[in-house]
Amino acid sequence: MSRVALTGTDGRWTLTLTDPDRRNCLDDVTCRELGEAIDTVAAADDARTLVVAGEGKAFCAGADLPALFGDASERAVGELRRHLHSVYDSFLRLRRLEIPTVAAVQGAAVGAGLNLAMACDIRVASPHASFAATFSRIGLHPGGGCTWFLVDALGPQRAMALLLDGAALDGQAAVQQGLALELAEDPLTRAHELTDRWAEHDPALTRDIKTAVGIAASGDFDATLEFEAWAQASSATGPKIREVVERFRQ
């Protein structure tokens, strides 16, 4: 039975973890299906948006620890490191998508599940959501980009405190501290409202806005300005702006 479901209409895709009895935790099977689903979206010429969700009470309870680390003491560190990279890659492929991605976090997003949510461009959180970086509580260093994600969203001071405490942010705190965009009683419905609106844009415009935000996040103003000049000039040839210019003339 599949643990990941992928559905799409008119380029609006939804990826759902469908293993609620195991709180949608990530093992090798789920990681493989997750990576394949993301690759399917990446290969779809009509792709406009992607919503990532979890079935049941948890968004994703993180890695299946016995499956991932059960024999760690018997394996070489280099071998374990290579395996970890394959796990990371299953959800970090989201970052390579050229379309907007939104995580609809209705429950717990723990460890690797937190990373899965953070790999999306935007997060919509339920009041019952939990963004938990519990690595240190189990004697494990953060992985899968967690340190980068949290520093990027919270700043180094808050990120360090959260990671050292092995703590969690509820939905409201996540919004207040910039980890999530907004609260919604039904985050999946709200995520679809956002992506349905964004899917109406010219795909090239959406792609370039996402690229520009990525460049700006690196802190390089000149590079951002240069890309904006190119992308704005390109978009100025589109039919929508021509209509607006004509109305302005009238």
Side-chain angles (χ1 to χ4, degrees), residues 23 55 59 64 68 74 85 96 126 132 148 150 168 250:
R23 294 169 57 82
E55 191 176 284
F59 175 75
D64 182 332
L68 190 58
E74 303 169 10
H85 270 295
R96 299 197 289 269
S126 159
W148 188 93
L150 293 181
Q250 295 172 2

Side-chain angles (χ1 to χ4, degrees), residues 232-246:
Q232 189 170 64
S234 178
S235 65
T237 65
K240 188 169 185 177
I241 185 62
R242 290 201 300 270
E243 291 175 6
V244 172
V245 169
E246 184 58 32

Side-chain angles (χ1 to χ4, degrees), residues 24-249:
N24 299 316
C25 70
L26 303 180
D27 60 9
D28 287 343
V29 173
T30 306
C31 286
R32 185 186 72 249
E33 292 184 4
L34 177 60
E36 290 171 351
I38 296 170
D39 287 347
T40 297
V41 175
D45 292 335
D46 68 340
R48 297 291 183 270
T49 59
L50 173 65
V51 173
V52 178
E55 191 176 284
K57 293 183 178 180
F59 175 75
C60 175
D64 182 332
L65 294 177
L68 190 58
F69 298 116
D71 61 349
S73 62
E74 303 169 10
R75 301 168 69 181
V77 170
E79 178 190 351
L80 184 57
R81 182 174 176 270
R82 285 190 293 273
H83 185 206
L84 286 171
H85 270 295
S86 70
V87 173
Y88 302 162
D89 180 64
S90 68
F91 53 80
L92 292 179
R93 295 181 204 190
L94 287 166
R95 291 173 51 79
R96 299 197 289 269
L97 292 178
E98 296 182 337
I99 59 175
T101 57
V102 181
V105 184
Q106 87 290 8
V110 183
L114 169 63
N115 293 338
L116 173 62
M118 297 302 294
C120 294
D121 299 312
I122 289 166
R123 287 151 294 285
V124 177
S126 159
H128 310 293
S130 175
F131 297 84
T134 54
F135 298 95
S136 65
R137 289 196 178 188
I138 59 173
L140 194 63
H141 192 282
C146 188
T147 305
W148 188 93
F149 289 134
L150 293 181
V151 170
D152 182 60
L154 303 175
Q157 180 175 230
R158 285 179 171 172
M160 182 176 289
L162 189 72
L163 289 169
L164 289 174
D165 286 339
L169 299 177
D170 62 22
Q172 184 173 0
V175 172
Q176 290 173 341
Q177 297 188 31
L179 198 95
L181 177 67
E182 61 182 65
L183 278 180
E185 286 294 336
D186 186 343
L188 182 57
T189 296
R190 179 55 180 158
H192 282 137
E193 289 174 354
L194 292 172
T195 54
D196 284 349
R197 188 165 74 232
W198 300 336
E200 296 301 319
H201 292 315
D202 179 346
L205 175 62
T206 303
R207 180 190 64 238
D208 288 346
I209 289 174
K210 178 168 178 172
T211 300
V213 170
I215 296 171
S218 71
D220 191 328
F221 178 82
D222 290 336
T224 305
L225 188 67
E226 197 60 31
F227 181 82
E228 284 182 338
W230 177 88
Q232 189 170 64
S234 178
S235 65
T237 65
K240 188 169 185 177
I241 185 62
R242 290 201 300 270
E243 291 175 6
V244 172
V245 169
E246 184 58 32
R247 287 200 301 269
F248 185 82
R249 283 174 176 159

